Amino acid sequence: MSHTLTVQWTIEPQTAPRPWLACSRCGGQRAFVCSGKTRLNANGRRLDAWLIYRCAVCEDTWNRPIFERRTVTSVAPDALAALQSNDPAWIRQVAFDIEGLRQCTDRIEDLADSSVERRVLGGTVDSARLEIVVVARHASSPRVDRLLSAELALSRARLTKLEAAGRVTLLPESRKALQRPIRDGCRIVLDLTAEDDRAEIAQRARGGP
Ligand SMILES: [Zn+2]
């Protein structure tokens, strides 16, 4: 029996994080939904660019600044081209830039509905140890327990028991591993020695037939 099954999970959130802001039209704090559209405005020799959001209740717009009052030459050419063509991949990058969004509001709703793409890096399903290498390029990511329970079909109670037995580790070393948000480059290690269904768990971890 080989010792460790190593898999890589690439996590792609499906829905952009939603900022909560005061809506001037319908009043009160509201979630704003990214429209996926940008606006580029020339004001004399200066350029402004925004990503457009809409209030989840009344659809009033909020313009999130991408940049403001910039000369054409100070804007990166690829950013300018992306804005002019409404490039979906580039817009997605901005929409998922949660750190940038934090400059506009403290309250951000992170809808952790993600797709997980699996790839085997080494080992077989009869391994006693499962190591998951996480690729999460977008900051918006679920907690470790939520991810494991959804993707490995393990109950939260079972995960808690495994953690109490010292069989769940998050690397770099972290206490209360299950409650941590997933970070790009982190590794989740599960010791499945005592689990009768470890082959099934490993199968779900590696995916495929
Ligand atoms: Zn509103």
Side-chain angles (χ1 to χ4, degrees):
M1 193 202 305
S2 72
H3 193 58
T4 303
L5 170 67
T6 309
V7 294
Q8 177 179 283
W9 283 6
T10 304
I11 300 172
E12 282 291 341
Q14 302 299 296
T15 312
R18 308 199 303 185
W20 279 68
L21 301 155
C23 179
S24 53
R25 190 198 282 174
C26 70
Q29 291 285 317
R30 303 283 186 240
F32 278 72
V33 182
C34 181
S35 72
K37 294 197 169 59
T38 54
R39 227 182 100 197
L40 183 64
N41 214 32
N43 201 323
R45 302 174 68 86
R46 303 276 166 170
L47 290 177
D48 295 304
W50 302 277
L51 181 57
I52 316 290
Y53 288 73
R54 290 193 179 280
C55 171
V57 176
C58 76
E59 301 213 318
D60 198 21
T61 55
W62 171 61
N63 294 339
R64 172 184 168 189
I66 299 172
F67 56 76
E68 290 175 297
R69 307 272 149 211
R70 295 268 290 271
T71 58
V72 178
T73 48
S74 74
V75 179
D78 58 334
L80 201 54
L83 281 160
Q84 281 163 341
S85 63
N86 257 311
D87 175 21
W90 190 86
I91 292 170
R92 184 178 159 86
Q93 207 61 44
V94 178
F96 282 89
D97 171 22
I98 204 163
E99 292 312 316
L101 202 48
R102 273 190 228 289
Q103 293 169 12
C104 305
T105 177
D106 290 333
R107 186 170 171 197
I108 297 166
E109 192 179 303
D110 189 358
L111 303 162
D113 56 335
S114 302
S115 73
V116 178
E117 195 189 289
R118 297 154 157 85
R119 193 156 75 89
V120 177
L121 300 180
T124 56
V125 291
D126 57 3
S127 306
R129 204 163 156 274
L130 170 63
E131 182 168 331
I132 302 162
V133 181
V134 176
V135 178
R137 290 193 192 91
H138 298 297
S140 154
S141 291
R143 274 172 33 154
V144 171
D145 56 354
R146 192 163 167 172
L147 179 76
L148 291 181
S149 121
E151 300 302 324
L152 294 179
L154 298 175
S155 70
R156 301 281 181 99
R158 189 165 171 198
L159 286 169
T160 307
K161 243 173 99 180
L162 276 166
E163 187 182 38
R167 294 179 187 275
V168 183
T169 320
L170 181 65
L171 301 167
E173 206 70 47
S174 173
R175 294 185 59 231
K176 295 190 176 168
L178 290 177
Q179 294 168 34
R180 301 282 165 193
I182 297 290
R183 297 271 178 243
D184 188 35
C186 76
R187 284 178 296 147
I188 306 163
V189 182
L190 292 166
D191 178 351
L192 302 175
T193 317
E195 311 306 308
D196 293 334
D197 58 345
R198 64 171 169 265
E200 286 96 88
I201 296 170
Q203 189 61 51
R204 288 193 286 270
R206 75 192 286 275

